[in-house]
Amino acid sequence: MSSPDTPFRNDLDYLSNLFMENVEKYRKHCNLQPFQFPDRFGIEPFKIKKYLPNTTDEFPAHVDVRDRSTARRFLVMFAYLTSDEAGQTEIDCMNTNVSSPCKQGSVLLFPPLWPWVHTGVAPAKSAKYILGSYLFHRMKMRMVLCRFILNLTYWITPVYSEKNLTKSFLLSLAIYWWTL
């Protein structure tokens, strides 16, 4: 989205602003203090999902953070693009159930972690379309460099015969960068 050549740039900017307005409402509603919300974060690319009516086209109970590739996510954002009498998103958070109706124009935000198990119910009469994305933690450049050095440590170690010396040097370099 950061490139000026991005197709539908104005539409994507509008959607980003819409989501960020709702994030601010969410923060106020949850009474989040500044220390409870990341200073630096990004928005994953938007995805549109389609669910067909009168089928098994649904998304069974799941969470959206399950492994290393999704671990930086901290907030789910859905916008319903269509309405249907079914097609709701059901959230079960530690035996508290919440149902968000499939209503065009409504926005749903919640954490993507294990307590917020959610289900995308199949629509009954017409196709359900949702637009989704995630807010994710942005790493500081120092952390990125540390990860690079640590990964380099494991990649380069088998190459050199003085592997202990090389590994020690790179680990100490990573620790130095981390403590700056």
Side-chain angles (χ1 to χ4, degrees):
M1 278 182 7
S2 59
S3 168
D5 300 331
T6 301
F8 308 107
R9 172 93 185 161
N10 293 337
D11 298 317
L12 292 171
D13 286 343
Y14 171 79
L15 292 171
S16 293
N17 290 332
L18 173 71
F19 274 134
M20 292 316 300
E21 287 171 16
N22 282 282
V23 167
E24 285 307 310
K25 289 178 186 176
Y26 177 85
R27 288 176 69 173
K28 286 179 184 172
H29 177 80
C30 295
N31 197 27
L32 295 178
Q33 303 303 310
F35 69 89
Q36 294 174 298
F37 202 86
D39 291 333
R40 297 173 41 92
F41 58 88
I43 301 175
E44 284 189 15
F46 295 108
K47 294 180 184 170
I48 295 178
K49 296 180 184 175
K50 176 183 179 181
Y51 298 87
L52 297 173
N54 299 316
T55 65
T56 57
D57 204 0
E58 61 186 4
F59 208 142
H62 67 285
V63 294
D64 294 324
V65 172
R66 298 182 322 266
D67 56 25
R68 185 176 180 175
S69 68
T70 58
R72 294 189 315 158
R73 293 175 175 173
F74 69 91
L75 197 61
V76 177
M77 302 182 294
F78 289 146
Y80 292 94
L81 304 177
T82 55
S83 296
D84 195 82
E85 63 187 44
Q88 68 273 15
T89 300
E90 296 177 343
I91 302 170
D92 177 8
C93 182
M94 301 187 318
N95 298 322
T96 300
N97 297 309
V98 175
S99 183
S100 176
C102 181
K103 182 179 174 195
Q104 184 177 12
S106 62
V107 176
L108 175 63
L109 293 102
F110 60 95
L113 306 168
W114 62 266
W116 292 272
V117 176
H118 56 284
T119 302
V121 177
K125 293 189 176 185
S126 59
K128 170 176 113 175
Y129 290 89
I130 61 169
L131 177 75
S133 185
Y134 301 89
L135 291 186
F136 65 93
H137 295 277
R138 279 209 185 271
M139 292 189 291
K140 293 182 180 176
M141 183 52 87
R142 190 175 349 157
M143 189 181 299
V144 171
L145 289 172
C146 286
R147 277 193 167 172
F148 170 75
I149 292 168
L150 289 172
N151 286 336
L152 183 63
T153 301
Y154 293 103
W155 176 79
I156 206 169
T157 297
V159 175
Y160 293 102
S161 59
E162 303 94 15
K163 65 180 175 183
N164 290 336
L165 179 62
T166 304
K167 192 171 190 175
S168 298
F169 169 74
L170 289 172
L171 284 172
S172 60
L173 185 60
I175 291 166
Y176 170 75
W177 275 97
W178 183 258
T179 57
L180 284 179

